[in-house]
Amino acid sequence: MASGTTSPDNLSKVFKAYDVRGIVGEQLDEELARATGAAYVEVLGVDAMVIGYDMRPSSPALAGAFADGATSAGADVTMIGLASTDQLYFASGHLDLPGAMFTASHNPAQYNGIKMCRALAQPVGMESGLAEIRDRVAAGAASAAAAGRTGSISSHDVLQAYAAHLIALAPVAGRRLKVVVDAGNGMAGHTAPAVFGRLAGQVEMVPMYFELDGTFPHHEANPIEPANLVDLQKAVISERADIGLAFDGDADRCFLVDERGELVSPSTLTALIAARELAKEPGATVIHNLITSRAVPEIVTELGGTPVRTRVGHSYIKATMAETDAVFGGEHSGHFYFRDFWRADSGMLAALHALAALAESDRPLSELLAAYARYPLSGEINSTVADQAAVLAELEATYGGQDGVTVDKLDGLSVGHADWAFNVRASNTEPLLRLNTEGKDETTMVRVRDEVLATIRSGR
């Protein structure tokens, strides 16, 4: 029977809905990484794969241990080295190989994790192989004996090919732009120079916190938290830039700041990119998750597209995109998915779409986006709650019986009204309840936000 980090009790904590995530040394170590590498190969029948890792101090050793486990089970491993998560997805698609990315995304420095995919960046989530991998690790069944041979390890640099591919998907042409990029000491400090270096004649880039440092000395690389965007907002104004871009730690998410230093809702960027994709493919399907503003499905419908609503999380979004052949998908958390990018999410590709739209326009970003921002939004508000189920039940009892109110439980609790809507859901990676609220006007949004938040925080 497995013990330590590979014990069933620990595995139940670190194997999440669509990745592995835990505190390094306490919940995630090289033993678990090695066992997961072997189990991944055996469960999915992998004979070759790619591995990338972020800038966290623990990432190279964990990635190496996973590679050891994978090769012991008979798979050949291609290491792409330092990479953003979307760079790993590119490698998976470009090389037609399954892959594993070592990152804890936006989580604090003490965390790390593993995101796994099949060939062509197809997701591996709890319902598509991750549960079986977990159970195999717990049983201690992953071993070299199943393969009968040891795989090889080689290296392959895909950074420049990645940059060229993204620019080909969203070429930037028109007026010259000044862009401030806050990498948050994360992997955008690795990818942005490669991407924007190819746009030197079109884009003047002002870098912020490009030094790769998994201790995050300036601020956490979690741009969904407004406090982590303050430096970028100030820089956009002081530099008189056209736009600001903020990436999370593994650079698969992107957030925008307009020329006034104001934050741009990811729902607004979702609507903008949807409009661009529908202009190329009229009538196409666009995916949006359930916490995205209702403006997104409204705009998609008005433009002749078909909006499809889904749960939060990349494995759910990608699966729905595959089922519907959707051209694009957006999440209010700042993840953006593209059919032409193997249905994977790419913060950098979303950023290029925003730059392309802005360069083609003679208006500032705030004016360009005004048509896509219809309703005031609260943004995501996180609360640590002891009994999450009790709070959700109380909210359902409070709002479910009201006239004109709809309730569904596709993911957490979604409550809708003609004048307002909110969703409360448990985080898949942290012990939090996440609240997103919108209203027909600011006063309505604030009222509903504060009412719901009071109930949530009474359950602490």
Side-chain angles (χ1 to χ4, degrees):
M1 180 64 68
S3 60
T5 57
T6 59
S7 68
D9 180 61
N10 185 62
L11 295 175
S12 68
K13 298 174 183 176
V14 300
F15 273 72
K16 311 292 186 179
Y18 36 81
D19 65 3
V20 177
R21 197 81 61 96
I23 298 172
V24 175
E26 179 181 327
Q27 299 173 314
L28 177 60
D29 59 11
E30 292 176 36
E31 178 189 3
L32 175 53
R34 186 173 293 105
T36 304
Y40 168 86
V41 167
E42 295 177 2
V43 169
L44 301 185
V46 169
D47 57 14
M49 66 175 301
V50 292
I51 297 176
Y53 54 85
D54 72 9
M55 68 293 140
R56 292 168 186 266
S58 60
S59 291
L62 290 172
F66 187 100
D68 287 344
T71 56
S72 76
D76 296 325
V77 172
T78 299
M79 303 292 292
I80 63 169
L82 282 166
S84 61
T85 292
D86 66 327
Q87 187 183 337
L88 183 279
Y89 292 148
F90 167 79
S92 175
H94 182 63
L95 301 174
D96 192 13
L97 291 174
M101 175 68 191
F102 280 78
T103 181
S105 185
H106 64 281
N107 285 144
Q110 66 268 32
Y111 285 83
N112 214 322
I114 318 169
K115 294 181 179 180
M116 289 168 271
C117 64
R118 300 173 188 266
L120 304 179
Q122 295 179 60
V124 174
M126 197 55 69
E127 298 169 5
S128 53
L130 198 56
E132 290 84 354
I133 294 170
R134 176 201 61 202
D135 294 345
R136 198 169 185 88
V137 172
S143 69
R149 77 175 186 94
T150 300
S152 64
I153 298 179
S154 60
S155 298
H156 184 47
D157 186 354
V158 300
L159 180 59
Q160 292 304 322
Y162 155 86
H165 183 74
L166 293 189
I167 291 171
L169 292 178
V172 181
R175 63 186 172 111
R176 183 171 170 80
L177 301 174
K178 188 173 188 179
V179 182
V180 182
V181 180
D182 183 351
N185 298 111
M187 291 313 301
H190 173 71
T191 58
V195 173
F196 291 109
R198 291 172 174 265
L199 296 171
Q202 187 68 52
V203 172
E204 177 188 352
M205 182 179 69
V206 179
M208 291 181 64
Y209 312 144
F210 271 35
E211 305 80 15
L212 301 181
D213 189 339
T215 67
F216 308 114
H218 297 99
H219 59 73
E220 286 189 354
N222 184 12
I224 203 167
E225 294 292 342
N228 296 325
L229 293 170
V230 171
D231 291 355
L232 176 62
Q233 292 173 285
K234 292 177 179 177
V236 167
I237 293 171
S238 65
E239 292 285 346
R240 297 184 178 180
D242 296 293
I243 186 173
L245 307 175
F247 294 89
D248 66 345
D250 61 337
D252 61 352
R253 288 192 296 159
C254 180
F255 284 69
L256 305 188
V257 169
D258 70 21
E259 81 287 350
R260 306 167 303 172
E262 298 292 326
L263 308 183
V264 174
S265 165
S267 289
T268 302
L269 181 53
T270 295
L272 171 69
I273 298 174
R276 287 174 55 81
E277 295 287 11
L278 288 169
K280 292 188 295 183
E281 188 174 325
T285 297
V286 172
I287 307 299
H288 64 99
N289 72 4
L290 53 80
I291 60 174
T292 303
S293 170
R294 62 179 67 181
V296 173
E298 288 177 1
I299 290 168
V300 169
T301 301
E302 290 164 9
L303 293 174
T306 301
V308 174
R309 181 171 173 266
T310 189
R311 294 180 63 180
V312 173
H314 77 98
S315 61
Y316 305 118
I317 289 270
K318 292 170 184 174
T320 306
M321 288 186 74
E323 292 166 5
T324 61
D325 194 33
V327 68
F328 170 67
E331 291 195 275
H332 191 64
S333 58
H335 287 281
F336 304 96
Y337 305 80
F338 301 86
R339 186 177 64 195
D340 291 341
F341 194 69
W342 301 281
R343 301 188 183 95
D345 43 329
S346 172
M348 189 62 73
L349 184 51
L352 289 172
H353 271 281
L355 295 181
L358 186 56
E360 294 163 6
S361 171
D362 59 1
R363 294 178 291 169
L365 185 61
S366 59
E367 293 183 15
L368 175 66
L369 295 179
Y372 304 103
R374 296 183 174 180
Y375 307 109
L377 305 169
S378 67
E380 187 167 274
I381 303 171
N382 294 314
S383 304
T384 302
V385 175
D387 191 341
Q388 297 177 349
V391 170
L392 291 172
E394 182 178 353
L395 288 170
E396 182 178 3
T398 299
Y399 290 93
Q402 297 182 11
D403 291 340
V405 170
T406 61
V407 173
D408 78 57
K409 299 179 181 179
L410 176 63
D411 193 356
L413 180 69
S414 295
V415 179
H417 183 272
D419 295 337
W420 50 265
F422 70 83
N423 172 268
V424 181
R425 54 179 290 273
S427 167
N428 281 308
T429 57
E430 300 169 88
L432 302 172
L433 280 180
R434 305 190 189 279
L435 168 67
N436 284 272
T437 310
E438 69 179 313
K440 66 176 182 178
D441 52 43
E442 188 75 17
T443 300
T444 302
M445 185 277 289
V446 169
R447 174 180 62 79
V448 175
R449 178 199 68 192
D450 291 350
E451 287 176 358
V452 177
L453 201 57
T455 299
I456 290 173
R457 293 186 172 171
S458 68
R460 285 180 165 180

